[in-house]
Amino acid sequence: MGRGWCGWYRSWSGEVAFTEWTSENRLRHPSWRGLRRDKLFWQISLPDLSN
């Protein structure tokens, strides 16, 4: 999995902790926390980063 890799499976969602968003809208210091069984993939969205 190199830089720019993006993958997903339709029914899985996961949790990632991070320190902040960069100016390029990337996660700084991301850390995988695990799969989420309480949320479905369509219930998750990114925060509004336009400010």
Side-chain angles (χ1 to χ4, degrees):
M1 289 186 260
R3 186 180 193 115
W5 181 86
C6 180
W8 57 275
Y9 189 79
R10 282 181 57 104
S11 61
W12 297 354
S13 60
E15 182 174 354
V16 176
F18 60 96
T19 55
E20 65 181 342
W21 290 96
T22 67
S23 59
E24 295 86 23
N25 292 335
R26 294 181 176 259
L27 300 179
R28 182 160 310 205
H29 306 293
S31 176
W32 177 253
R33 296 297 184 195
L35 290 174
R36 298 275 309 250
R37 298 182 187 268
D38 61 330
K39 299 245 181 198
L40 299 173
F41 76 96
W42 62 80
Q43 297 173 314
I44 299 171
S45 62
L46 292 174
D48 181 17
L49 301 176
S50 61
N51 50 2

Coordinates of all heavy atoms in Angstrom, one line a residue:
M1 N 0.8 -1.2 0.0 CA 0.0 0.0 0.0 C 0.9 1.2 0.0 O 1.4 1.6 1.0 CB -0.9 0.0 1.2 CG -2.0 -1.0 1.2 SD -3.0 -0.9 2.6 CE -2.4 -2.1 3.7
G2 N 1.0 1.9 -1.1 CA 1.8 3.0 -1.2 C 1.1 4.3 -1.0 O -0.1 4.3 -0.7
R3 N 1.7 5.4 -1.2 CA 1.1 6.7 -1.0 C 0.0 6.9 -2.0 O 0.1 6.5 -3.1 CB 2.1 7.8 -1.2 CG 1.6 9.1 -0.9 CD 2.7 10.2 -1.1 NE 2.3 11.4 -0.5 CZ 2.8 12.0 0.5 NH1 3.9 11.5 1.1 NH2 2.3 13.1 1.0
G4 N -1.1 7.4 -1.5 CA -2.3 7.6 -2.4 C -3.2 6.4 -2.5 O -4.2 6.4 -3.2
W5 N -2.9 5.3 -1.8 CA -3.7 4.1 -1.9 C -5.0 4.4 -1.1 O -5.0 5.0 -0.1 CB -3.0 2.9 -1.2 CG -3.8 1.7 -1.2 CD1 -3.8 0.8 -2.2 CD2 -4.6 1.2 -0.2 NE1 -4.6 -0.3 -1.9 CE2 -5.2 0.0 -0.7 CE3 -5.0 1.6 1.0 CZ2 -6.0 -0.8 0.1 CZ3 -5.9 0.9 1.8 CH2 -6.4 -0.3 1.3
C6 N -6.1 3.9 -1.7 CA -7.4 4.0 -1.1 C -8.1 2.7 -1.3 O -8.3 2.3 -2.5 CB -8.1 5.2 -1.7 SG -9.8 5.4 -1.0
G7 N -8.6 2.1 -0.3 CA -9.4 0.9 -0.4 C -10.5 0.8 0.6 O -10.4 1.4 1.6
W8 N -11.5 0.1 0.2 CA -12.6 -0.1 1.1 C -13.4 -1.3 0.7 O -13.3 -1.8 -0.4 CB -13.5 1.2 1.1 CG -14.1 1.5 -0.2 CD1 -13.5 2.3 -1.2 CD2 -15.3 1.1 -0.8 NE1 -14.2 2.4 -2.3 CE2 -15.4 1.7 -2.0 CE3 -16.4 0.4 -0.3 CZ2 -16.5 1.5 -2.9 CZ3 -17.5 0.2 -1.1 CH2 -17.5 0.7 -2.4
Y9 N -14.2 -1.8 1.6 CA -15.1 -2.9 1.4 C -16.5 -2.4 1.8 O -16.7 -1.7 2.8 CB -14.7 -4.1 2.2 CG -15.5 -5.3 1.8 CD1 -15.2 -6.0 0.7 CD2 -16.5 -5.7 2.6 CE1 -15.9 -7.2 0.4 CE2 -17.3 -6.8 2.3 CZ -16.9 -7.6 1.2 OH -17.7 -8.7 0.8
R10 N -17.4 -2.6 0.9 CA -18.8 -2.0 1.0 C -19.4 -2.0 2.4 O -20.0 -1.0 2.8 CB -19.7 -2.7 0.1 CG -19.6 -2.3 -1.3 CD -20.6 -3.1 -2.1 NE -22.0 -2.9 -1.7 CZ -22.9 -2.1 -2.3 NH1 -22.5 -1.4 -3.4 NH2 -24.1 -2.0 -1.8
S11 N -19.3 -3.0 3.2 CA -20.0 -3.1 4.4 C -19.2 -2.8 5.7 O -19.7 -2.9 6.8 CB -20.7 -4.4 4.6 OG -19.8 -5.4 4.6
W12 N -17.9 -2.5 5.5 CA -17.0 -2.3 6.6 C -16.7 -0.8 6.8 O -16.7 0.0 5.9 CB -15.7 -3.0 6.5 CG -15.7 -4.5 6.4 CD1 -16.8 -5.3 6.6 CD2 -14.7 -5.3 6.1 NE1 -16.5 -6.6 6.4 CE2 -15.2 -6.7 6.1 CE3 -13.3 -5.2 5.8 CZ2 -14.4 -7.8 5.8 CZ3 -12.6 -6.3 5.5 CH2 -13.1 -7.5 5.6
S13 N -16.6 -0.4 8.1 CA -16.1 0.9 8.3 C -15.1 0.8 9.5 O -15.1 -0.1 10.3 CB -17.2 1.9 8.7 OG -17.9 1.4 9.9
G14 N -14.2 1.8 9.5 CA -13.1 1.7 10.5 C -12.9 3.0 11.2 O -13.4 4.1 10.7
E15 N -12.2 3.0 12.3 CA -11.9 4.3 13.0 C -10.4 4.6 13.0 O -9.6 3.7 13.2 CB -12.3 4.1 14.5 CG -12.1 5.3 15.3 CD -12.7 5.2 16.7 OE1 -13.3 4.2 17.0 OE2 -12.5 6.1 17.5
V16 N -10.1 5.8 12.7 CA -8.7 6.3 12.6 C -8.6 7.5 13.5 O -9.4 8.4 13.4 CB -8.3 6.6 11.2 CG1 -6.9 7.2 11.1 CG2 -8.5 5.4 10.3
A17 N -7.6 7.5 14.4 CA -7.3 8.7 15.2 C -6.2 9.4 14.5 O -5.4 8.9 13.8 CB -6.8 8.2 16.6
F18 N -6.2 10.8 14.7 CA -5.2 11.6 14.1 C -5.1 12.9 14.9 O -5.9 13.3 15.6 CB -5.5 11.9 12.6 CG -6.8 12.6 12.4 CD1 -6.9 13.9 12.2 CD2 -8.0 11.9 12.3 CE1 -8.1 14.6 12.0 CE2 -9.2 12.5 12.1 CZ -9.3 13.9 12.0
T19 N -3.9 13.6 14.6 CA -3.7 14.8 15.4 C -4.4 16.0 14.8 O -4.9 16.9 15.5 CB -2.2 15.1 15.6 OG1 -1.6 15.2 14.3 CG2 -1.5 14.1 16.4
E20 N -4.4 16.1 13.4 CA -5.0 17.3 12.8 C -5.1 17.0 11.3 O -4.5 16.1 10.8 CB -4.3 18.6 13.0 CG -2.9 18.6 12.4 CD -2.1 19.9 12.7 OE1 -2.8 20.9 13.1 OE2 -0.9 19.9 12.6
W21 N -5.8 17.9 10.6 CA -5.9 17.9 9.1 C -4.8 18.8 8.7 O -4.6 19.9 9.2 CB -7.2 18.4 8.6 CG -8.4 17.5 8.9 CD1 -9.2 17.6 9.9 CD2 -8.8 16.4 8.1 NE1 -10.2 16.6 9.8 CE2 -9.9 15.8 8.6 CE3 -8.3 15.9 6.9 CZ2 -10.5 14.7 8.1 CZ3 -8.9 14.8 6.3 CH2 -10.0 14.2 7.0
T22 N -4.1 18.5 7.6 CA -3.1 19.3 7.0 C -3.7 20.3 6.1 O -4.9 20.2 5.8 CB -2.0 18.5 6.2 OG1 -2.6 18.0 5.1 CG2 -1.4 17.4 7.1
S23 N -3.0 21.3 5.6 CA -3.5 22.2 4.6 C -3.9 21.6 3.3 O -4.6 22.2 2.5 CB -2.5 23.4 4.4 OG -1.3 22.8 3.9
E24 N -3.4 20.4 3.0 CA -3.7 19.6 1.8 C -4.9 18.7 2.1 O -5.1 17.8 1.3 CB -2.5 18.8 1.3 CG -1.4 19.7 0.8 CD -0.4 20.1 2.0 OE1 -0.4 19.4 3.0 OE2 0.3 21.1 1.9
N25 N -5.6 18.8 3.2 CA -6.7 18.0 3.6 C -6.3 16.5 3.8 O -7.0 15.6 3.4 CB -7.9 18.1 2.6 CG -8.5 19.4 2.7 OD1 -8.4 20.1 3.7 ND2 -9.1 19.8 1.6
R26 N -5.1 16.3 4.4 CA -4.7 15.0 4.7 C -4.6 14.8 6.2 O -4.5 15.8 6.9 CB -3.3 14.7 4.1 CG -3.3 14.6 2.6 CD -1.9 14.4 2.1 NE -1.8 14.2 0.7 CZ -1.8 13.0 0.1 NH1 -1.8 11.9 0.8 NH2 -1.7 13.0 -1.2
L27 N -4.6 13.6 6.7 CA -4.5 13.3 8.1 C -3.1 13.4 8.6 O -2.2 12.8 7.9 CB -5.1 12.0 8.5 CG -6.5 11.7 8.1 CD1 -6.9 10.3 8.5 CD2 -7.4 12.7 8.8
R28 N -2.8 14.1 9.7 CA -1.5 14.2 10.2 C -1.4 13.1 11.3 O -2.2 13.1 12.2 CB -1.2 15.5 10.8 CG 0.2 15.6 11.4 CD 0.6 17.0 11.5 NE 0.3 17.7 10.2 CZ 0.9 18.7 9.7 NH1 1.8 19.3 10.4 NH2 0.6 19.2 8.5
H29 N -0.4 12.3 11.3 CA -0.1 11.2 12.3 C -1.3 10.3 12.4 O -1.8 10.1 13.6 CB 0.3 11.8 13.6 CG 1.4 12.7 13.5 ND1 2.7 12.3 13.2 CD2 1.5 14.0 13.7 CE1 3.5 13.4 13.2 NE2 2.8 14.4 13.5
P30 N -1.8 9.7 11.4 CA -3.0 8.8 11.5 C -2.6 7.5 12.2 O -1.5 7.0 12.1 CB -3.4 8.5 10.1 CG -2.2 8.7 9.3 CD -1.4 9.8 10.0
S31 N -3.6 6.9 12.9 CA -3.4 5.7 13.7 C -4.6 4.9 13.6 O -5.7 5.3 14.0 CB -3.0 6.0 15.1 OG -2.9 4.8 15.9
W32 N -4.5 3.7 13.0 CA -5.7 2.8 12.9 C -6.1 2.3 14.2 O -5.4 1.8 15.0 CB -5.3 1.6 12.0 CG -6.3 0.6 11.8 CD1 -6.4 -0.7 12.4 CD2 -7.5 0.7 11.0 NE1 -7.5 -1.3 12.0 CE2 -8.2 -0.5 11.2 CE3 -8.1 1.7 10.3 CZ2 -9.4 -0.7 10.5 CZ3 -9.3 1.5 9.6 CH2 -9.9 0.3 9.8
R33 N -7.4 2.5 14.5 CA -8.0 2.0 15.8 C -8.8 0.7 15.7 O -9.0 0.1 16.7 CB -8.9 3.1 16.3 CG -8.2 4.4 16.7 CD -7.2 4.1 17.8 NE -6.6 5.4 18.2 CZ -5.5 5.4 18.9 NH1 -4.9 4.3 19.2 NH2 -5.0 6.6 19.2
G34 N -9.3 0.4 14.5 CA -10.0 -0.8 14.3 C -11.3 -0.7 13.5 O -11.7 0.4 13.2
L35 N -11.9 -1.8 13.3 CA -13.2 -1.8 12.6 C -14.3 -1.3 13.5 O -14.3 -1.6 14.7 CB -13.5 -3.2 12.1 CG -12.6 -3.7 10.9 CD1 -12.9 -5.2 10.6 CD2 -12.8 -2.9 9.7
R36 N -15.3 -0.7 12.9 CA -16.4 -0.2 13.7 C -17.6 -1.1 13.3 O -18.0 -1.2 12.2 CB -16.8 1.2 13.3 CG -15.8 2.2 13.6 CD -15.9 2.7 15.0 NE -17.2 3.1 15.4 CZ -17.5 4.4 15.7 NH1 -16.7 5.4 15.5 NH2 -18.7 4.7 16.1
R37 N -18.2 -1.8 14.3 CA -19.3 -2.7 14.0 C -20.6 -1.9 14.3 O -21.7 -2.4 13.9 CB -19.2 -3.9 14.8 CG -18.0 -4.7 14.5 CD -18.0 -6.0 15.3 NE -16.7 -6.7 15.1 CZ -16.6 -7.7 14.2 NH1 -17.6 -8.0 13.4 NH2 -15.4 -8.3 14.1
D38 N -20.6 -0.7 14.9 CA -21.8 0.0 15.2 C -22.2 1.0 14.1 O -23.2 1.6 14.2 CB -21.6 0.8 16.5 CG -20.5 1.8 16.4 OD1 -19.5 1.5 15.7 OD2 -20.5 2.8 17.2
K39 N -21.4 1.2 13.1 CA -21.7 2.1 12.0 C -21.5 1.4 10.6 O -20.6 0.6 10.4 CB -20.7 3.3 12.0 CG -20.8 4.1 13.2 CD -21.2 5.5 13.0 CE -21.3 6.3 14.2 NZ -22.1 7.4 14.1
L40 N -22.4 1.8 9.7 CA -22.3 1.3 8.3 C -21.6 2.3 7.5 O -21.6 3.5 7.8 CB -23.7 0.9 7.8 CG -24.4 -0.2 8.6 CD1 -25.8 -0.3 8.1 CD2 -23.7 -1.5 8.5
F41 N -21.0 1.9 6.4 CA -20.2 2.8 5.6 C -20.9 4.1 5.1 O -20.4 5.1 5.0 CB -19.5 2.1 4.5 CG -20.4 1.8 3.3 CD1 -20.4 2.7 2.2 CD2 -21.2 0.7 3.3 CE1 -21.2 2.4 1.1 CE2 -22.0 0.4 2.2 CZ -22.0 1.3 1.1
W42 N -22.2 3.9 4.8 CA -23.0 5.1 4.3 C -23.4 6.1 5.5 O -23.9 7.1 5.2 CB -24.2 4.7 3.5 CG -25.2 3.9 4.3 CD1 -26.1 4.4 5.1 CD2 -25.4 2.5 4.3 NE1 -26.9 3.4 5.7 CE2 -26.4 2.2 5.2 CE3 -24.7 1.4 3.7 CZ2 -26.8 0.9 5.4 CZ3 -25.1 0.1 3.9 CH2 -26.2 -0.1 4.8
Q43 N -23.2 5.7 6.7 CA -23.5 6.6 7.9 C -22.3 7.4 8.2 O -22.4 8.2 9.2 CB -23.9 5.7 9.1 CG -25.1 4.9 8.9 CD -25.4 4.0 10.0 OE1 -24.5 3.3 10.5 NE2 -26.6 3.9 10.5
I44 N -21.2 7.3 7.5 CA -20.0 8.0 7.9 C -19.6 9.1 6.8 O -19.8 8.8 5.6 CB -18.8 7.0 8.0 CG1 -19.1 6.1 9.1 CG2 -17.5 7.8 8.3 CD1 -18.2 4.9 9.2
S45 N -19.2 10.3 7.2 CA -18.9 11.3 6.3 C -17.7 12.1 6.8 O -17.4 12.1 8.0 CB -20.0 12.2 6.0 OG -20.4 12.9 7.2
L46 N -17.0 12.8 6.0 CA -15.9 13.6 6.4 C -16.5 15.0 6.9 O -17.5 15.4 6.4 CB -14.9 13.9 5.2 CG -14.1 12.7 4.7 CD1 -13.4 13.1 3.5 CD2 -13.2 12.2 5.8
P47 N -15.8 15.6 7.8 CA -16.2 16.9 8.2 C -16.0 18.0 7.1 O -15.2 17.7 6.2 CB -15.3 17.2 9.4 CG -14.1 16.4 9.2 CD -14.6 15.2 8.5
D48 N -16.7 19.1 7.2 CA -16.6 20.2 6.3 C -15.2 20.8 6.5 O -14.9 21.4 7.5 CB -17.7 21.2 6.4 CG -17.6 22.3 5.4 OD1 -16.9 22.2 4.4 OD2 -18.3 23.3 5.7
L49 N -14.3 20.7 5.5 CA -13.0 21.3 5.6 C -12.8 22.6 4.9 O -11.7 23.1 4.6 CB -12.0 20.3 5.1 CG -12.0 18.9 5.8 CD1 -11.0 17.9 5.1 CD2 -11.6 19.0 7.2
S50 N -13.9 23.2 4.5 CA -13.8 24.4 3.6 C -13.5 25.7 4.4 O -13.2 26.7 3.8 CB -15.1 24.6 2.9 OG -16.2 24.8 3.8
N51 N -13.5 25.7 5.7 CA -13.2 26.9 6.5 C -11.8 27.3 6.6 O -10.9 26.7 6.4 CB -13.8 26.8 7.9 CG -13.4 25.5 8.6 OD1 -12.7 24.7 8.1 ND2 -13.9 25.4 9.8

